[in-house]
Amino acid sequence: MSLWVPGPGDPARTALERLAASGGNEKWLRRGQKKDDKPVRDASVLMLFGRGQQPRTPGGQREHERLSRLGVADVDVLLLQRSANLRHHPNQVAFPGGGRDPEDADEIAAALREAEEETGLDPDGVEIVGTLDPLYIPVSSFEVTPVVAWWQHPTNVWAVDRGESASVYRVPVADLVAPENRGTFAAPDRSYVTPAFDVGVLRVWGFTAALLEFALDEMGWARDWDRAARIDIEL
């Protein structure tokens, strides 16, 4: 990990600073409320943005020109798909991250350690921009702190432990903001509805999709999209 040094005039890094400074608020993700005596464990996720990936989808390719004018056409974000064998959130797409261990100095150290263990990235190439407010996740009883970061020196990534992660991708922002790649996902029992993204290689929903929706809006990269559109996801 290296210290965050704002880049002169880099619109992507400037947008990340704006995201981190927002802290998050009540409207961007419905906060779960603790309702029992189950112990809460601290956790964090790494929202790692970098440069280098071109869009994979037709919608993303169409967004490329618009994002070029903003100076962020090649920006991407690191996501992984969790293993189908996990107890919590199997198959779900997520940011790298997990529970804080006793040896972790803070939520940033936890996010970097987990990201290295899951994707093989070199944390020395990551610059921490800041953190968002923690959020309680009732299903796993985690209080999760999103850590916003810039990938100054990207390294190869892969699914290090297939028992934990099925795949790892750097997903272009252009694919995420394309209106035709966006929609909502409704649980089969209709107990909840979340934003969703279909970026070709992954379908994102739930907590991670809500974080992405907030981040893209806050950074000024999102476009209007059809909130009546539905994206089907097999659970």
Side-chain angles (χ1 to χ4, degrees):
M1 181 189 72
S2 55
L3 295 177
W4 169 254
V5 180
D10 186 326
R13 293 162 66 110
T14 300
L16 283 180
E17 289 180 322
R18 185 165 61 249
L19 171 62
S22 74
N25 56 51
E26 293 292 342
K27 72 179 182 179
W28 67 280
L29 187 65
R30 187 175 61 189
R31 293 175 183 271
Q33 300 296 318
K34 190 173 185 302
K35 298 178 180 179
D36 54 33
D37 295 329
K38 191 175 181 180
V40 176
R41 186 179 176 194
D42 290 333
S44 53
V45 295
L46 188 67
M47 302 177 69
L48 181 59
F49 292 83
R51 287 189 183 275
Q53 299 300 302
Q54 298 300 310
R56 296 182 176 93
T57 67
Q61 291 164 6
R62 287 188 286 272
E63 284 298 300
H64 191 269
E65 181 178 353
R66 179 181 71 89
L67 294 178
S68 292
R69 295 194 294 270
L70 299 177
V72 296
D74 63 342
V75 172
D76 55 72
V77 63
L78 184 63
L79 296 174
L80 58 84
Q81 184 164 30
R82 293 165 59 83
S83 168
N85 299 319
L86 292 176
R87 179 181 178 185
H88 294 302
H89 314 297
N91 287 322
Q92 193 166 351
V93 174
F95 295 105
R100 180 175 172 179
D101 286 350
E103 64 268 23
D104 294 324
D106 53 25
E107 66 275 6
I108 293 172
L112 288 171
R113 176 187 54 75
E114 286 280 352
E116 183 177 13
E117 291 175 358
E118 291 173 333
T119 74
L121 65 76
D122 182 355
D124 287 342
V126 176
E127 296 182 347
I128 302 301
V129 185
T131 61
L132 301 181
D133 295 340
L135 293 145
Y136 176 65
I137 310 300
V139 67
S140 55
S141 201
F142 278 127
E143 187 163 76
V144 181
T145 297
V147 178
V148 181
W150 177 250
W151 214 351
Q152 180 64 20
H153 301 292
T155 51
N156 291 334
V157 289
W158 66 97
V160 174
D161 182 353
R162 292 287 180 174
E164 293 284 339
S165 305
S167 58
V168 176
Y169 288 98
R170 293 176 64 180
V171 176
V173 164
D175 287 332
L176 290 167
V177 299
E180 55 263 59
N181 294 347
R182 301 195 60 178
T184 58
F185 166 70
D189 60 3
R190 308 293 297 185
S191 60
Y192 58 86
V193 177
T194 80
F197 300 80
D198 183 351
V199 295
V201 293
L202 295 169
R203 291 187 177 183
V204 192
W205 62 280
F207 176 80
T208 303
L211 273 176
L212 281 171
E213 179 179 49
F214 171 72
L216 295 171
D217 287 344
E218 195 70 23
M219 292 188 290
W221 299 343
R223 288 186 57 192
D224 290 338
W225 53 282
D226 182 4
R227 295 180 181 272
R230 295 290 181 262
I231 292 179
D232 294 327
I233 298 173
E234 185 176 348
L235 299 181

